[in-house]
Amino acid sequence: MTVTVQDIELPKLRMPYTVRLNPYLPVLREETETWAREMGMLAGDAAPSAAPIWTRSQFRAMAVDQLTAWTLPDASLVGLRLNHRFNLWALAWDDYFASAFKQTGDLAGAQAFTARLHVFLSPEPGTRLPEPANAVEKGMADLQQRLFPPALAHWRQGLNRALARYIDAGVQELVNSRSGRVPDLIEYAQFRRESFAAYTAPYSVELATGARIPEQIRHSRTVGALLDAFMDYMGLANDIASYHREVHDEYDVNNLVVVLETSLGLSVQEAMDAAADLVTARLRHFEHLIESELPPLVRRSGLDHGEQIELETWINGAWSFLSGLHAWYTGAPRYAPASGSVPEQRTAGATVPAREHCPSVT
């Protein structure tokens, strides 16, 4: 029996943290198309000779302004605007790469495009960049002038390294799809952090909250595990939400459901359910680390009151980021099947009352 998109029940993933909305959303919504048009990503008068990545209807269906306002509810307007442009760029790269290279199987073109884009990941302020040849390059060139205000200058190398891993992962995804090679499950968990650009998310949380993970514990095993679980939820939950778009519409093999189906010999529905269980397990581990392992680490490390408050602020920002992504995955037309019908959803994992704030780490 052939399994169709409509036959698959899409799990409703557990999210115990209440989604909140940034009050600057109306302002963001008013200007949301301006930057995309200026960069040539969206059809408009600003770039009449360029081939845009999106039509207006495609652009509005993505609801990127809603995504930004949900994931960063406490950001200032300046921080919200900057992160919004970053989100637009990441989606522009994704959609451009899919249409130009994944759909055509053009590996040589993808490698050349990626090698040139690396030049725009400027390692130092003031580096002279080449003239952008397309909307993706133009967007990154513009962002390099904005992404690192003085308070976040320490992020320059780390964020650009994360972006390099993101664009390189696109080439590897194309290699996998061309050869029909489905990644191994253990390999894929690490790879998905790169291909989702999850390594950039701590920057977004810091941008939104103004808080950093204190230096005394930043490189500890507990914080490393916390960040891994934080990043895993993003990309692996996205694989469930985007399954129909990626696998049925784009014939992609780089998806957790496909990985589980192949690695464990499961049916599609069984693999979908197993993927939901894995995503829930990563979220529960994130909670466990906050509730059980961070407090003794904080005490051993001797964090003062201000540092403890800063850590709690960052963790609340991370929770908001995850709840905002969850809301976007379950509500944006971008993740509806191409047929326009939305498959049935059912809850995966036990439900718990939504929480407004994370537990104290002291």
Side-chain angles (χ1 to χ4, degrees), residues 9-11 257 260 268-278 346 348:
E9 294 184 39
L10 198 62
V257 179
L260 289 169
V268 176
Q269 188 62 65
E270 289 170 338
M272 182 70 75
D273 294 340
D277 289 342
L278 182 56
R346 49 197 176 77

Side-chain angles (χ1 to χ4, degrees), residues 71-252:
T71 54
L72 307 175
D74 300 311
S76 66
L77 179 58
V78 172
L80 193 71
R81 182 183 290 123
L82 176 56
N83 207 83
H84 182 58
R85 292 177 180 181
F86 181 80
N87 287 340
L88 286 171
W89 178 86
L91 289 168
W93 173 88
D94 188 36
D95 288 353
Y96 180 86
F97 194 91
S99 62
F101 307 116
K102 285 186 176 179
Q103 292 178 11
T104 63
D106 182 6
L107 180 58
Q111 291 169 329
F113 169 75
T114 301
R116 183 174 158 86
L117 190 54
H118 269 277
V119 179
F120 289 85
L121 301 179
S122 171
E124 298 295 337
T127 301
R128 186 175 180 83
L129 301 176
E131 186 68 23
N134 52 61
V136 176
E137 291 182 355
K138 187 172 183 180
M140 179 46 61
D142 185 76
L143 281 173
Q144 284 294 322
Q145 309 304 314
R146 307 172 187 270
L147 283 175
F148 308 104
L152 294 176
H154 60 280
W155 265 101
R156 178 173 291 276
Q157 289 187 344
L159 182 61
N160 279 332
R161 187 163 53 246
L163 288 171
R165 296 166 86 170
Y166 175 52
I167 62 175
D168 286 345
V171 175
Q172 184 58 51
E173 286 185 329
L174 178 55
V175 170
N176 291 343
S177 292
R178 274 172 50 108
S179 65
R181 175 187 177 272
V182 178
D184 170 81
L185 176 58
I186 304 302
E187 168 201 1
Y188 185 71
Q190 168 65 43
F191 178 66
R192 191 62 177 120
R193 297 172 197 160
E194 300 175 354
S195 66
F196 188 72
Y199 286 102
T200 68
Y203 170 91
S204 296
V205 173
E206 191 170 324
L207 176 64
T209 63
R212 297 181 66 184
I213 298 174
E215 184 66 30
Q216 300 96 305
I217 65 171
R218 188 175 304 148
H219 303 291
S220 66
R221 184 208 63 81
T222 298
V223 170
L226 182 79
L227 291 174
D228 285 349
F230 173 58
M231 293 186 290
D232 285 345
Y233 181 89
M234 298 175 210
L236 299 181
N238 179 269
D239 279 355
I240 294 173
S242 62
Y243 173 80
H244 302 102
R245 179 173 179 267
E246 292 179 355
V247 177
H248 286 267
D249 299 342
E250 299 175 2
Y251 307 104
D252 199 344

Side-chain angles (χ1 to χ4, degrees), residues 5-25:
V5 172
Q6 287 74 24
D7 292 329
I8 300 169
E9 294 184 39
L10 198 62
K12 184 178 180 182
L13 297 174
R14 173 180 178 271
M15 173 47 65
Y17 198 89
T18 303
V19 67
R20 295 182 295 122
L21 191 65
N22 191 293
Y24 291 112
L25 174 61

